[in-house]
Amino acid sequence: ANVRAAEGMEAVKTVQTDKEHVKELEVKVKALQEWALAAAEAKRVAQERAAHLEEKVRDLTEPDDDVGLGRGSGVGGGGMGSASSGNERRLWSQHSSLVVGAGLVGTRVHVLGDAPIEANESVVLRWKFDLTPSDTDILFSVLKGRWDGATKPGQLKSADAIIRDRMVTGGAAGETAGAFVFNNTCTLVWSNERSWVRPKTVKYTVEAYAVL
C-alpha cells in the first residue's frame, strides 16, 4: 500500500511538473511571437522611412516654384511651407513612424526651425497618430526641449512636460501651445512601460501652425 501511495504521489508530481513546463513553453512561444511581430514592424517602418527619404530627395532635386515660409527639423519627411487658413498659417508638416519595445519609450525631437513668427502670432503644435496593433493604447507626452537620448520611462521624470502620460489609442489627435518655448525645440514621447512583452508601432504626423 505504501509503495502504491508513493507511486501515486510521484505520478501527481510528474503531472504538475509537466503542466508547469507546458505553461513555461506557452509563455516563451508568446514572447517569441511578439518579438517576431516587432521585427516585422521594424522592417516595415524602415521601408517606409526609405520611401519617405526617396520622396524627399526627389523634392529637393526637382524644380519647385513654391517658396516656403519656414522649415521644421526632426525625424521623418513632410511638407514645409505656408498653408494659410483664416487666422493661422501652417509652418511645416512632418511624418514618421517608430517601434516602441515592451517596457521602453520612444522619442522624436522636433525643432521649430527658421520659420518667421510675427509679434502677434503664437505657435501651436498639432499631432495625430495610429497604433499597431490597433486594439492597444499607449502613454503620450509632449516635453519642452530636447530629450531624445532616453529609452526608459524613469529618465524623463525630470523633464518639463506640457502633456505627461496621457493614455491614448490609435487615431488620437490633439494640439498644444508653448511646445517650442525652450530652444525652439520639443520632444514627443510614446511610453510602452505598461507592456511586458508586446511592442507597438506608432505612425504619426506633426504640424506647426502660427496662430493670431
Side-chain angles (χ1 to χ4, degrees):
N2 292 335
V3 173
R4 291 181 179 178
E7 291 177 349
M9 292 179 63
E10 187 65 27
V12 170
K13 290 181 180 180
T14 301
V15 171
Q16 291 177 343
T17 301
D18 289 343
K19 288 182 178 180
E20 292 175 357
H21 184 60
V22 169
K23 289 181 180 179
E24 291 177 359
L25 290 177
E26 289 176 345
V27 171
K28 292 179 180 179
V29 168
K30 185 176 180 180
L32 288 173
Q33 290 173 339
E34 296 291 350
W35 284 115
L37 174 63
E41 291 296 336
K43 180 180 179 180
R44 184 182 63 80
V45 168
Q47 291 173 338
E48 288 184 356
R49 287 181 180 173
H52 292 160
L53 288 174
E54 291 176 357
E55 182 179 354
K56 193 172 182 179
V57 169
R58 286 196 298 270
D59 291 340
L60 292 173
T61 55
E62 293 176 357
D64 190 354
D65 295 332
D66 296 331
V67 179
L69 293 181
R71 175 168 298 186
S73 300
V75 178
M80 294 174 285
S82 63
S84 301
S85 176
N87 295 327
E88 63 182 29
R89 295 183 294 115
R90 189 179 69 187
L91 304 175
W92 45 255
S93 177
Q94 300 172 7
H95 54 269
S96 186
S97 54
L98 67 159
V99 176
V100 186
L104 302 178
V105 299
T107 61
R108 286 290 184 267
V109 173
H110 291 276
V111 180
L112 184 58
D114 55 3
I117 307 298
E118 303 297 334
N120 61 340
E121 292 179 324
S122 59
V123 178
V124 172
L125 182 72
R126 295 176 181 167
W127 64 84
K128 56 184 176 180
F129 55 84
D130 292 310
L131 291 176
T132 303
S134 59
D135 60 341
T136 59
D137 52 33
I138 200 166
L139 296 175
F140 176 66
S141 302
V142 179
L143 310 180
K144 298 178 183 178
R146 178 179 293 272
W147 294 87
D148 53 343
T151 58
K152 298 294 183 65
Q155 296 173 310
L156 300 172
K157 297 302 182 184
S158 61
D160 189 359
I162 300 175
I163 297 172
R164 184 180 293 279
D165 292 342
R166 177 181 295 177
M167 184 63 63
V168 294
T169 58
E175 66 176 49
T176 186
F180 297 102
V181 297
F182 188 76
N183 291 336
N184 283 341
T185 305
C186 70
T187 303
L188 306 185
V189 181
W190 292 270
S191 175
N192 197 22
E193 61 185 283
R194 302 197 315 158
S195 176
W196 288 52
V197 295
R198 195 177 216 189
K200 295 169 186 174
T201 299
V202 180
K203 186 175 182 180
Y204 74 93
T205 297
V206 62
E207 298 176 322
Y209 281 82
V211 181
L212 292 176

